[in-house]
Amino acid sequence: MQQYVVDSYVKVEGNRLNFIRHNQRTLRVELYLGLGDNINDLATEAGIRPGGTLILPSSFIGSPREMQQNLQDVMSIVRDFGKPDLFLTFTCNPKWNEIKDNLFPGQKPHDRPNLVARVFDIMKKELLQDMKKMVFWVV
């Protein structure tokens, strides 16, 4: 099952990259011609032949432009609300009773990622509710 999910993801990602490669005009990358000219100039000065330029849009997950956009979003939140006072990390434990009790005989948690994700989401919401109640006690 996991191999199927990974293979499907890779196919979708490959199709997205092919679309971006073949539709650079549609994505209006001509607006970045100055960037391409600069790269060509740097390559010429270094005595190497530049490859083709491919601009990834900020909507492509994991691209440098998307990361930069996320950074700018976070910085604006910090500017508006101030530095965070608390940073929590919440992870899922596959040995939680809620997960083990809902597995079929012979199944392991990695066989049911949908169950693990659902239980994690429920536990996260409970944690946030508990934290909201605690805020009134601390303040």
Side-chain angles (χ1 to χ4, degrees), residues 29 31-43 50-51 53 55:
V29 297
L31 299 174
Y32 304 106
L33 286 179
L35 175 65
D37 293 340
N38 187 27
I39 291 172
N40 288 334
D41 291 343
L42 292 173
T53 304
I55 306 288

Side-chain angles (χ1 to χ4, degrees), residues 41-103:
D41 291 343
L42 292 173
T44 304
E45 288 174 12
I48 56 175
R49 194 179 85 196
T53 304
L54 181 69
I55 306 288
L56 290 176
S58 62
S59 61
F60 187 80
I61 297 171
S63 70
R65 294 181 64 219
E66 190 248 355
M67 299 284 189
Q68 183 69 25
Q69 185 176 7
N70 289 341
L71 173 73
Q72 295 298 325
D73 292 344
V74 168
M75 291 286 98
S76 68
I77 291 171
V78 170
R79 183 189 65 227
D80 291 344
F81 298 106
K83 294 179 183 176
D85 297 326
L86 181 64
F87 181 81
L88 290 179
T89 303
F90 186 68
T91 58
C92 183
N93 184 355
K95 295 181 182 176
W96 280 338
N97 289 331
E98 293 84 354
I99 294 174
K100 291 194 316 188
D101 293 344
N102 289 296
L103 293 173

Side-chain angles (χ1 to χ4, degrees), residues 3-15:
Q3 186 66 40
Y4 173 76
V5 171
V6 170
D7 289 343
S8 297
Y9 177 79
V10 169
K11 285 180 186 177
V12 169
E13 197 77 2
N15 285 334

Side-chain angles (χ1 to χ4, degrees), residues 90 92-94 96-100 102 112-126:
F90 186 68
C92 183
N93 184 355
W96 280 338
N97 289 331
E98 293 84 354
I99 294 174
K100 291 194 316 188
N102 289 296
R112 297 280 308 276
N114 59 335
L115 174 67
V116 173
R118 181 175 287 174
V119 171
F120 175 78
D121 190 49
I122 291 169
M123 299 293 257
K124 180 186 71 172
K125 287 178 181 174
E126 286 180 12

